[in-house]
Amino acid sequence: MQSISKSFPGVRALSQVSFRVEHSHIHALIGENGAGKSTLMKILDGVYPAGNFEGQILLDGKPVMFRSPFDARRQGIGYVPQEISVLEKLTVAENIFVGLWTEKGGTVVGFKRLFARAKELLDSIRVQLDPHRTVATLNASQRQLVMIARALATKPSVLILDEATACLTLDETKNLFGVVRHLRDQGLTTIFITHKMNELFEIADRATVLRDGAVVAEFDRSEFDQHTIVAAMVGRKIENFYPTRDSAIGDEEVLRVENLTVPHPHLARRNVVDGVSFAVRRGEILGFGGLVGSGRSETVNALYGRVEHTGRVYVEGREVRVATPQDAKAHGLGLLTEDRKLDGLLFNFAIRENMTLHDLPEVSHLRVLDRSRETEVADRYLKRLSIRAPSVETMVGNLSGGNQQKVVLAKVLFPKPRVLFLDEPTKGVDVGAKNEIYKLMMELAGQGIALVVISSDLPELLALCDRFIVLARGRVVDEFSKAEASDQRLMLAATG
Ligand SMILES: Nc1ncnc2c1ncn2[C@@H]1O[C@H](COP(=O)(O)OP(=O)(O)OP(=O)(O)O)[C@@H](O)[C@H]1O
Ligand SMILES: [Mg+2]
């Protein structure tokens, strides 16, 4: 890609970017939230078609023009976008071959053949998924795998993975890496976007760093070094990546949960959360360990009144009933959800409107929304969380993924909760912003807020939390303090 420039109203997303990827390489594209990675890839995929940007694209040395994603796909580009988009009502097979239901010459492919081909493709990338299943019944990681299969269905020469591992489990990521390496040996070129440093070191042959819409550095695998790469990404050195807490933990229990049970949504006599009990004290950071599907998210969702449950919940010593999120908010509970697309944000509304959603009375006067007060609040959070946007009036759907995550965080902080559940708080967030979120968590703990953190980033979980409980198959299987914690102990307990 040569001298690529692209602007949106008020934002120069890319300026004079030249990005060169060698044949049969796995090339990482990295940079802070809002650096322009996804925009560059949308240009390469025809989402922003020829004429919508400046510069030129060359494929195998020849200039190419893509009029649409379909056009790009036909010319050898396989794209897995950052946000999962699937057709919920259709089957896995139909989703994989969407847009390709006709063979050359226009004959419609028979369903039997469609399923057989889907099965073949899934087997070849070692994904165990029934092609007949409706996508609505799949979890986030399975949906992600469907998207990857879809990108590979046309046998592309260039595969783009835009944070495709964000929703995958460790095993699924390992498997995907195996597949990508195998395809590289057969000539596939892969562009790989990630915020996870360990993934970069594991898989990339080369890396290009974008900052503020421009290429600032390029590294060959032999030059990979964590400090140099991070410094290139954020333009400064990060001291104390995991801040240590300097405040004391209080004695009083802010939250006590006894025998929390969540029945399985479909299967009778099975529970996804099965008799979980724990307590959190003032200013304490409690970490939830466990694998995907162990019941961690269901536990916090139940406590926030989003799923039916039984058991007893006490806030500051008083028993409360949380049947709905409104109840939860009224009792001082807050939840940062894992999936910002499904239930975290209103994409077609301004940052300002999203941030104040959970406490409108606070920004109203005589029951009328006070817009200037709202702007004031939103401006404060914009600065505090270093959200990259032209103003608080920017529509959330136009923000980069990581900046959307920060808006969700502001939204849950605004009603000043006493207990905050954080489900994967740094998913899709760049290293600099991760550090800012960690500092914020310490600050909140210092103010006496009790935090319950779920994270599949083990080093992060171990470094930030004061105490841990580990869940497996919906039950608490281990509990230990920071002093007793190690990644081995956590993994061992989680896998039973
Ligand atoms: N459709 C759009 N309208 C307006 N601004 C946009 C649009 N798409 C992207 N931007 C802006 O362009 C810049 C680059 O965004 P982009 O999504 O490419 O970042 P990114 O590097 O992929 O970040 P992340 O790591 O958070 O996904 C950001 O400032 C973003 O707000
Ligand atoms: Mg992006």
Side-chain angles (χ1 to χ4, degrees), residues 68 142 179 318 452:
S68 67
Q142 293 167 321
V179 169
R318 277 191 26 229
V452 175

Side-chain angles (χ1 to χ4, degrees), residues 308 313 384 441 452 461 465:
E308 269 188 54
V313 181
R384 183 164 173 205
M441 285 167 62
V452 175
L461 196 72
C465 300

Side-chain angles (χ1 to χ4, degrees), residues 7-160:
S7 293
F8 299 106
V11 189
R12 187 151 175 87
L14 297 169
S15 59
Q16 297 286 325
V17 168
S18 289
F19 179 56
R20 207 183 116 96
V21 180
E22 298 277 325
H23 199 279
S24 338
H25 264 53
I26 300 172
H27 195 120
L29 181 60
I30 53 179
E32 287 182 288
N33 297 131
K37 305 178 295 291
S38 295
T39 304
L40 190 66
M41 291 305 104
K42 285 178 190 169
I43 287 173
L44 184 53
D45 185 56
V47 175
Y48 301 128
N52 232 282
F53 60 91
E54 291 158 45
Q56 204 179 25
I57 306 174
L58 298 137
L59 208 55
D60 284 324
K62 289 189 238 21
V64 284
M65 282 220 263
F66 303 138
R67 284 180 304 257
S68 67
F70 185 72
D71 199 18
R73 196 178 188 189
R74 232 174 18 115
Q75 297 188 55
I77 309 288
Y79 177 50
V80 181
Q82 187 168 4
E83 301 292 342
I84 293 182
S85 76
V86 282
L87 302 161
E88 298 239 354
K89 297 209 169 110
L90 300 187
T91 59
V92 167
E94 288 165 298
N95 266 277
I96 292 175
F97 291 106
V98 65
L100 306 170
W101 295 340
T102 51
E103 304 244 46
K104 278 200 194 88
T107 39
V108 177
V109 175
F111 265 97
K112 227 168 142 185
R113 228 172 100 57
L114 192 72
F115 289 116
R117 276 174 57 190
K119 178 92 179 62
E120 220 173 275
L121 177 62
L122 289 167
D123 284 347
S124 76
I125 59 171
R126 297 193 297 260
V127 169
Q128 278 164 11
L129 256 186
D130 180 356
H132 292 87
R133 253 177 94 173
T134 312
V135 165
T137 66
L138 303 183
N139 65 26
S141 77
Q142 293 167 321
R143 288 170 189 223
Q144 184 73 71
L145 294 168
V146 169
M147 306 262 302
I148 293 167
R150 179 195 292 168
L152 288 170
T154 40
K155 299 213 166 38
S157 55
V158 179
L159 175 69
I160 304 168

